[in-house]
Amino acid sequence: MEHDLVQPTMEAIRRWSGVECPNPAARLGLADMAGLIADMAKLRGTMVFEDEPSSFELALRDCKEPGK
Amino acid sequence: MSDLAELSMTEAADAFARGEVKAEALARACLARIDAHNAKLNVTVRLDREAALDAASAADHARAIGINAGKLGGVPMMHKDMYYRKGKVSTCGSKIRKNFVADKTATVLLKLDAAGAIDMGTLNMAEFAQNPTGHNAHYGHCHNPWNLDYCTGGSSSGSGSGVAGRLFYAALGSDTGGSIRLPASICGVTGLKATQTRVSRHGVMPLSFSADNVGPLVRTAKDAARFLAITAGHDPHDATSAPEPVPDYEAALTGDIRGMRIAVCSTYFLDGADAPVLAAFEAALQVLKDRGATVDYVAAPSMPAIATYVSVLSRVEGAAIHANWMRDVPQDYAIHLNARLFGGYAMPGHYYVEALARRGPLLKQFVAETLTGYDLVATPTVKTRVPTLAETDIDENPANWSRFMAVSANTRPFNYLGLPTISIPCGFDDRGLPVGLQLAGRPFAESTVLKASDAYQRATDWHRRSPLM
């Protein structure tokens, strides 16, 4: 039986993005999203208020080999 | 020289520089291999035969009158069909861009031109670089030279298959989730993804701008070192390219790795790995230990978060880039590609921001967990044995989805982390398909990654083995 996530997600994508579900494989892919939602739920609370994307380039420099 | 096609890129370049071989002979050796094997492998998209021979002849003439040809002088190459050259078609492996003519030339191509490389044309690839297996519904699947029924790995499928098949000496690939390292591992060649921002992406088809990387598929670590030295560095046309100085990577290849410390993550990268892959991986670690490195198993508690966020990042960025075509011409994509893109539109915006915002802190955490006290992290490049084309064909059977996605489980995390990572051949599975060893270092530590890889290749001959096609 298809996951109950699939139909409302297809409708949301159509309304928000104007993209129609292209094929059965895409429906299967959407069902897989349940796993991703569960994985993201496990990470709730880990993001710090001040975290921001630009910290990545800084981290690249900060994590270089010692002395380099 | 008996078989010019068996030379590595640096061997061919150095032989030309010493006057031991002519560029035209190198080009004709490659063209002969292409004529003999391309129909089986389906590697090329556009072969510029006459232009390549003309360029080779010009290189020979220049050398004869004493002009320095450059560090890649006279060496024939072909590149994934997503590197733009002004006035030439770049299909990006797609029907949508089958007639797209570029109005600029990629910085990396200009650098290779300046180093004397001979560009023979473009290579098959996954449509818009968006699959890890090398399937292509529009130009035909690429085939693995070790066994034509098996996938090549993707998305740089033609690059991996062609270098392994000795059709040319080097090829550009691109790597957003493993697209250099997967075909390198699966076809039995060497593939390097440098630190995120290390190589300019100007004039290169985008997939996921946070995680896209430019890099080579070649035969040896020495080849990769020279290729990277030529292509790396800041580019005023790519504001994201790093200003870090480019060292002499080849000078680091001393073969001496005594005292080098290598970490193996005890979870995630080995979870569910097939026995033949584990056996080859453990044998590779023993080789590194025999050469003086130490190997320890360490925990990496940050891996679940990294694996989750990388899925969000590339899918959302890919969906955004393709939104117009997904609305207007979805039927022009292969089934597996528009299926994959479709899910990206379901991701909440705050998931995407969280994935980006957590990237820096998670990089620091991963480095603290695995690279504090260690120089490198080692993993198998692909956990499973190489799958057949049929086993991973989603267009034929959507139920193959999980097998298809599992191919890139060990490579994707390093795109999120931005770390320099290489795949080198380390054996064969029980079906005779190659196995790859993946080594990752700290940001901008490509010299360390290449040094260990070169030391490994001095002690083994996996990278020298040639498929019997």
Side-chain angles (χ1 to χ4, degrees):
Chain A
M1 196 175 81
E2 186 170 89
H3 197 286
D4 62 4
L5 176 75
V6 172
Q7 193 60 43
T9 305
M10 285 183 358
E11 177 61 14
I13 291 172
R14 190 181 69 77
R15 295 284 292 271
W16 282 91
S17 303
V19 175
E20 302 287 345
C21 182
N23 53 50
R27 291 181 80 113
L28 275 177
L30 279 192
D32 272 2
M33 288 290 180
L36 180 62
I37 292 169
D39 289 340
M40 286 295 290
K42 289 178 197 162
L43 297 172
R44 285 176 193 165
T46 57
M47 183 172 165
V48 176
F49 188 64
E50 289 83 4
D51 280 349
E52 62 161 294
S54 67
S55 66
F56 177 64
E57 280 72 23
L58 283 174
L60 282 177
R61 290 199 289 274
D62 289 348
C63 292
K64 287 198 295 188
E65 288 178 323
K68 295 285 176 73
Chain B
M1 286 176 207
S2 57
D3 190 352
L4 293 178
E6 287 292 336
L7 296 175
S8 72
M9 180 196 83
T10 45
E11 288 168 345
D14 293 347
F16 173 75
R18 290 191 298 264
E20 295 168 2
V21 64
K22 289 193 179 298
E24 187 175 335
L26 294 172
R28 289 196 184 280
C30 290
L31 290 168
R33 294 286 293 182
I34 290 170
D35 290 340
H37 301 297
N38 188 51
K40 289 173 283 188
L41 300 176
N42 193 28
V43 161
T44 67
V45 171
R46 189 189 75 242
L47 178 60
D48 296 328
R49 183 185 301 268
E50 295 309 317
L53 289 171
D54 288 347
S57 178
D60 286 331
H61 177 69
R63 198 199 165 280
I65 60 173
I67 296 173
N68 182 351
K71 289 201 157 192
L72 295 176
V75 178
M77 301 181 181
M78 297 185 80
H79 304 301
K80 190 174 185 178
D81 197 16
M82 55 178 275
Y83 288 88
Y84 303 161
R85 190 176 284 283
K86 188 174 181 178
K88 296 278 192 181
V89 170
S90 188
T91 68
C92 306
S94 70
K95 178 180 178 183
I96 289 171
R97 281 208 147 179
K98 69 178 185 213
N99 296 317
F100 168 72
V101 178
D103 63 356
K104 61 173 84 89
T105 299
T107 296
V108 68
L109 289 183
L110 293 174
K111 288 186 172 187
L112 292 170
D113 292 346
I118 292 174
D119 185 347
M120 300 203 305
T122 62
L123 297 171
N124 203 349
M125 57 182 282
E127 183 179 3
F128 288 115
Q130 293 234 19
N131 77 50
T133 55
H135 288 84
N136 189 303
H138 310 296
Y139 300 94
H141 306 325
C142 214
H143 294 268
N144 194 312
W146 294 94
N147 187 325
L148 301 177
D149 292 334
Y150 285 77
C151 83
T152 56
S155 60
S156 310
S157 49
S159 307
S161 179
V163 172
R166 278 48 176 169
L167 272 57
F168 34 82
Y169 298 99
L172 279 166
S174 70
D175 195 316
T176 303
S179 288
I180 289 172
R181 292 161 287 155
L182 294 172
S185 174
I186 290 171
C187 293
V189 299
T190 298
L192 175 66
K193 180 202 87 65
T195 306
Q196 189 76 38
T197 71
R198 177 77 284 191
V199 182
S200 168
R201 294 174 297 124
H202 172 72
V204 184
M205 181 209 83
L207 193 175
S208 166
F209 29 80
S210 295
D212 289 343
N213 287 272
V214 167
L217 288 98
V218 285
R219 310 243 168 94
T220 68
K222 185 177 180 183
D223 291 352
R226 186 174 300 182
F227 199 106
L228 181 63
I230 288 162
T231 53
H234 179 67
D235 175 13
H237 297 297
D238 178 359
T240 67
S241 60
E244 302 288 325
V246 179
D248 181 351
Y249 297 113
E250 276 186 86
L253 309 184
T254 62
D256 183 1
I257 55 168
R258 286 173 296 176
M260 188 174 278
R261 297 151 301 173
I262 298 171
V264 177
C265 297
S266 53
T267 55
Y268 184 84
F269 293 103
L270 303 179
D271 295 346
D274 286 343
V277 172
L278 276 179
F281 176 63
E282 286 165 4
L285 295 178
Q286 187 60 50
V287 170
L288 293 167
K289 284 195 271 191
D290 290 345
R291 291 190 70 90
T294 59
V295 175
D296 293 315
Y297 284 76
V298 302
S302 58
M303 281 311 301
I306 291 165
T308 299
Y309 286 136
V310 72
S311 296
V312 173
L313 207 62
S314 58
R315 294 179 80 172
V316 171
E317 292 183 358
I321 290 169
H322 286 273
N324 286 337
W325 291 326
M326 281 293 284
R327 277 187 286 268
D328 298 342
V329 287
Q331 72 281 359
D332 286 352
Y333 291 101
I335 292 169
H336 69 267
L337 180 50
N338 57 13
R340 191 176 186 197
L341 288 168
F342 186 63
Y345 301 104
M347 304 267 189
H350 67 90
Y351 275 22
Y352 177 64
V353 172
E354 182 177 333
L356 282 176
R358 293 292 298 148
R359 200 177 182 196
L362 278 166
L363 169 58
K364 289 185 173 181
Q365 186 180 337
F366 181 83
V367 167
E369 290 166 356
T370 64
L371 287 164
T372 299
Y374 296 94
D375 300 293
L376 296 170
V377 173
T379 82
T381 310
V382 182
K383 288 186 197 191
T384 61
R385 296 187 301 174
V386 175
T388 64
L389 282 161
E391 287 169 341
T392 45
D393 191 337
I394 298 176
D395 292 357
E396 289 294 322
N397 182 2
N400 287 329
W401 183 273
S402 58
R403 187 79 196 271
F404 172 86
M405 291 305 294
V407 171
S408 57
N410 276 8
T411 51
R412 278 180 282 143
F414 293 105
N415 293 81
Y416 184 73
L417 295 166
L419 298 174
T421 312
I422 199 168
S423 180
I424 56 176
C426 73
F428 292 86
D429 66 24
D430 54 328
R431 298 190 290 201
L433 276 297
V435 177
L437 169 67
Q438 183 171 240
L439 296 172
R442 284 174 173 261
F444 302 104
E446 284 84 2
S447 290
T448 304
V449 171
L450 289 161
K451 181 178 183 176
S453 303
D454 172 69
Y456 178 83
Q457 291 183 336
R458 289 178 190 227
T460 60
D461 71 348
W462 305 116
H463 61 291
R464 290 282 175 197
R465 299 201 188 183
S466 182
L468 299 170
M469 291 183 295

